[in-house]
Amino acid sequence: MVPFQTFRSRPIGRLAAGALFAAMASLPLAAVPAFADTTLLNVSYDPTRELYKAYDEAFSAYWKEKTGETVTVEQSHGGSGAQARAVIDGLDADVVTLALAADIDAIAARTDKIPKNWATLLPDNSTPYTSTIVFLVRKGNPKGIKDWDDLVKDGVQVITPNPKTSGGARWNYLAAWAYANDKFGGDDAKIRDFVGKLYRNVPVLDSGARGSTTTFAQRGIGDVLLAWENEAFLALNELGPDQFEIVTPSISVKAEPPVALVKGNADAKGTTAVAQAYLDYLYSDAAQKIIAHNYYRPVKPAAADPEDLKRFAALKLVTVDDPQFGGWAKVQPAHFADGGIFDQIYKPGQ
Amino acid sequence: MAEPLALGRRPGVIPGFGMTLGFTLAYLSLIVLIPLAGLVVRAASLGWADFMAIALDPRTLAALRLSFGVSAIAALVNAVFGLVVAWVLVRYDFPGKRIIDAVVDLPFALPTAVAGIALTALYAPNGWIGQYAAMFGVKIAYTPIGIFIALVFIGIPFIVRTVEPVLADLDREIEEMAATLGARRWTTVRRVVLPTLVPALLTGFALAFARAVGEYGSVIFIAGNIPYVSEIAPLLIVIRLTEFNYAAATGVATIMLIISFILLFAINLIQAWSRRRLG
């Protein structure tokens, strides 16, 4: 009662207190631009954490030396599709480094922040590194898994994330499809049957690639993990070379995780020059070396450490632009949209 | 009872009725009604035919059945065992009581994804508990049973915390009186104690149920996310969003909202009825 009355009897005081509070609350915001150096936000997908941690340090050092400006790069990781949606919905990314071109296409199609021809603005389809899909199996390969045929056998459990929510999972799916296409000479019904069988051997459909790695490596579920090559190497190194082995199938997909400048955001923040340099530097010899060291296949192998290159097995790689797929613009709606081929082969009772 | 008009005039500690009601309406609109209206408007952009196609899609139906079914079972189980926990906490003193009291609130505070990962680690076939279940051929994680466990976990505090105060207020003399009138212990519990608790139990049930229906983080890690088997409706919404299909996502969300509203409304009616009848 008493405090309330004293308050009411002094409205001026309360106003002043409110104004003071508001002023204090706005202070840190006003102060930031005066002191801070440039900050970039790189919105990426799940298994690039380690790569960009190393790359960001290298780039900051390079930029500091070149211009004297201190650049801090902030990282955001998550499922590739979810990350793309966050950028569409307004996440202030300067650059996106996602798992598939389809996700960057989606941003370009739904906002005017990325030009439609983004893939032509940097070398190699705007893809400074590639990867592929390999198998991770338990030590000694108890189920004798050598190639895709072994994954559709009864009693083999395959771990892969959900192609609906994970970019890596879409590469897994396409790799299996490419094998079946080769095996059945393009017979659509047989290919569908093969891929459908494979997915019926999947006991856990995690929502992202990291979740699947955890399910396989730490929860001990499944006989084989379909994984990004770099993710398989990481799992091998960090979770135990004495527990897992990498099996390279006869044929796989050339996974191209592209990068793009989110021009709309960078222009608004005044970071376009730095953000562009951040992407350009990915193609430098120094960066290519880091890339190979982090188990991604560099586009300029000559720049990489030969020791690192030795780890990448030679195998037949099919790109998404191959006629059987026809590029993301065709693959995405045909296979992964609601009611698409993935949904059709996943209907129960088939 | 007969002075509703005086409500607006009676001088109170809090500023006048007009101002508080105005604030209430503005605040609720901003925080609750406008976002929900946005949801419905976005779903309405679908058109009736598309909306029904989404609603009757077998995958949507399977996900809704799983979400609401398992949530209801989990809330029921919580109602029974939450009541026991509340009973022990109110009626007995024992060492470590305060710690147990605090533990009950943990599911409120814990980020749900953390809970999900912890539960999965426990109940996976190679986890502490999961390995023993596996010996009997029972799979817990990556099946609807795993979802059930996650939902029981996040629901328990709702029952305990709603029943506790009512139980504490319950006069022991009434029970003693029943005893002196010749009632056996079970009769006393059944005819005296339980009826008083029913409204609170229903409230707790409704809260735990509502929370479970919307639960995402704690469930997706333990569910296995297999379409038609262990895919919960909130995950289906996220999948639709990842397909950039905002309309379908809001469609499923709206269906959930409608079902939840009808169920909660029904629970409220039962609650009001039981309060009139028993309270």
Side-chain angles (χ1 to χ4, degrees):
Chain A
M1 215 51 178
V2 174
F4 181 65
Q5 297 232 315
T6 37
F7 235 141
R8 189 153 60 174
S9 62
R10 280 189 293 178
I12 309 280
R14 189 167 46 166
L15 251 181
L20 188 69
F21 178 76
M24 275 167 59
S26 63
L27 249 183
L29 278 177
V32 165
F35 296 102
D37 297 292
T38 313
T39 303
L40 291 181
L41 175 58
N42 175 4
V43 171
S44 194
Y45 63 105
D46 258 333
T48 55
R49 278 184 184 82
E50 293 74 13
L51 166 64
Y52 278 107
K53 194 168 170 267
Y55 174 71
D56 291 347
E57 272 174 31
F59 175 75
S60 294
Y62 155 79
W63 193 250
K64 179 97 187 168
E65 198 181 337
K66 191 179 170 197
T67 65
E69 188 181 9
T70 306
V71 181
T72 316
V73 186
E74 285 172 354
Q75 288 290 132
S76 163
H77 296 274
S80 187
Q83 295 288 77
R85 185 165 39 77
V87 175
I88 291 171
D89 290 344
L91 180 62
D92 223 359
D94 298 276
V95 298
V96 284
T97 53
L98 295 178
L100 11 111
D103 284 327
I104 301 184
D105 282 337
I107 303 173
R110 285 168 178 79
T111 70
D112 49 9
K113 290 175 181 168
I114 296 180
K116 301 270 184 292
N117 65 341
W118 62 269
T120 62
L121 300 179
L122 283 166
D124 304 299
N125 286 329
S126 206
T127 308
Y129 44 85
T130 67
S131 189
T132 186
I133 301 301
V134 297
F135 304 164
L136 194 68
V137 298
R138 307 203 180 276
K139 191 74 186 175
N141 198 355
K143 297 263 168 134
I145 290 160
K146 300 218 166 52
D147 210 345
W148 293 97
D149 272 328
D150 301 312
L151 306 192
V152 298
K153 287 182 181 157
D154 286 339
V156 171
Q157 289 196 322
V158 183
I159 302 297
T160 168
N162 190 342
K164 295 283 193 167
T165 49
S166 156
R170 272 175 245 181
W171 290 117
N172 294 349
Y173 171 99
L174 293 182
W177 190 278
Y179 174 81
N181 183 64
D182 227 38
K183 182 182 162 94
F184 300 116
D187 184 329
D188 196 54
K190 283 182 178 162
I191 302 173
R192 285 178 187 225
D193 185 52
F194 182 91
V195 180
K197 253 190 203 153
L198 193 157
Y199 275 92
R200 273 191 293 289
N201 277 348
V202 176
V204 181
L205 213 50
D206 282 290
S207 55
R210 268 290 145 90
S212 275
T213 307
T214 309
T215 298
F216 179 77
Q218 283 173 340
R219 310 263 184 270
I221 308 288
D223 303 305
V224 52
L225 172 74
L226 302 188
W228 289 94
E229 187 175 43
N230 70 300
E231 190 78 346
F233 275 115
L234 278 179
L236 206 60
N237 280 0
E238 293 188 14
L239 304 168
D242 51 336
Q243 291 184 52
F244 308 106
E245 300 178 4
I246 291 175
V247 170
T248 315
S250 63
I251 182 170
S252 192
V253 74
K254 185 179 183 189
E256 295 169 297
V259 301
L261 175 72
V262 188
K263 197 163 182 318
N265 289 344
D267 283 352
K269 287 158 80 177
T271 53
T272 312
V274 195
Q276 185 63 50
Y278 180 79
L279 295 181
D280 290 337
Y281 191 64
L282 278 168
Y283 293 87
S284 71
D285 285 358
Q288 290 288 313
K289 200 175 181 127
I290 295 172
I291 283 165
H293 195 64
N294 282 278
Y295 314 112
Y296 276 95
R297 296 183 178 219
V299 288
K300 287 200 304 200
D305 195 332
E307 282 297 307
D308 290 336
L309 290 179
K310 262 196 235 160
R311 297 182 299 213
F312 302 121
L315 72 168
K316 186 177 171 191
L317 293 177
V318 177
T319 70
V320 70
D321 294 319
D322 191 88
Q324 62 173 302
F325 296 126
W328 278 112
K330 264 179 78 182
V331 165
Q332 181 64 28
H335 287 265
F336 304 116
D338 186 26
I341 296 170
F342 178 73
D343 279 346
Q344 292 165 28
I345 61 179
Y346 216 115
K347 284 257 154 79
Q350 277 186 6
Chain B
M1 276 298 261
E3 44 175 10
L5 274 178
L7 258 180
R9 296 198 206 118
R10 206 188 318 155
V13 183
I14 298 171
F17 175 70
M19 214 170 144
T20 43
L21 182 70
F23 175 79
T24 305
L25 285 180
Y27 190 78
L28 274 183
S29 301
L30 205 65
I31 304 289
V32 181
L33 294 178
I34 291 177
L36 286 186
L39 188 68
V40 175
V41 165
R42 208 144 189 186
S45 72
L46 274 169
W48 185 247
D50 287 345
F51 182 76
M52 287 318 285
I54 289 168
L56 299 176
D57 176 31
R59 194 155 155 205
T60 314
L61 289 177
L64 289 173
R65 204 178 303 130
L66 181 75
S67 270
F68 282 98
V70 179
S71 296
I73 299 170
L76 267 176
V77 168
N78 268 333
V80 175
F81 292 100
L83 177 61
V84 175
V85 174
W87 182 271
V88 168
L89 287 177
V90 170
R91 285 293 166 95
Y92 300 99
D93 266 318
F94 52 89
K97 180 177 169 180
R98 292 197 164 200
I99 295 172
I100 293 196
D101 200 38
V103 165
V104 168
D105 282 333
L106 269 185
F108 271 152
L110 208 60
T112 52
V114 174
I117 289 172
L119 288 174
T120 314
L122 272 183
Y123 289 99
N126 68 350
W128 285 353
I129 301 176
Q131 58 182 327
Y132 298 110
M135 286 196 310
F136 297 102
V138 180
K139 272 182 72 183
I140 298 177
Y142 313 119
T143 68
I145 305 174
I147 303 179
F148 165 77
I149 286 175
L151 295 182
V152 167
F153 175 85
I154 52 110
I156 185 87
F158 290 95
I159 308 279
V160 177
R161 293 304 177 221
T162 46
V163 171
E164 231 181 348
V166 182
L167 206 51
D169 279 351
L170 190 69
D171 238 326
R172 291 191 94 151
E173 285 166 25
I174 298 175
E175 286 170 61
E176 282 159 15
M177 203 189 298
T180 57
L181 290 173
R184 290 175 182 210
R185 187 61 190 150
W186 173 238
T187 316
T188 312
V189 169
R190 192 165 51 91
R191 311 220 17 199
V192 177
V193 179
L194 277 184
T196 326
L197 293 180
V198 164
L201 263 179
L202 275 171
T203 308
F205 173 83
L207 290 173
F209 175 74
R211 167 76 190 268
V213 164
E215 190 52 36
Y216 179 76
S218 62
V219 178
I220 53 154
F221 294 103
I222 203 169
N225 308 325
I226 303 293
Y228 304 101
V229 177
S230 57
E231 183 175 74
I232 54 166
L235 178 66
L236 191 59
I237 295 176
V238 172
I239 286 176
R240 293 294 179 243
L241 285 176
T242 316
E243 290 166 355
F244 306 109
N245 192 347
Y246 292 76
T250 47
V252 179
T254 310
I255 295 161
M256 288 186 78
L257 198 67
I258 293 168
I259 301 177
S260 297
F261 186 77
I262 293 172
L263 286 174
L264 291 178
F265 191 67
I267 292 169
N268 262 337
L269 285 183
I270 300 174
Q271 208 184 346
W273 172 82
S274 68
R275 198 162 266 152
R276 263 200 317 278
R277 182 120 193 274
L278 311 163

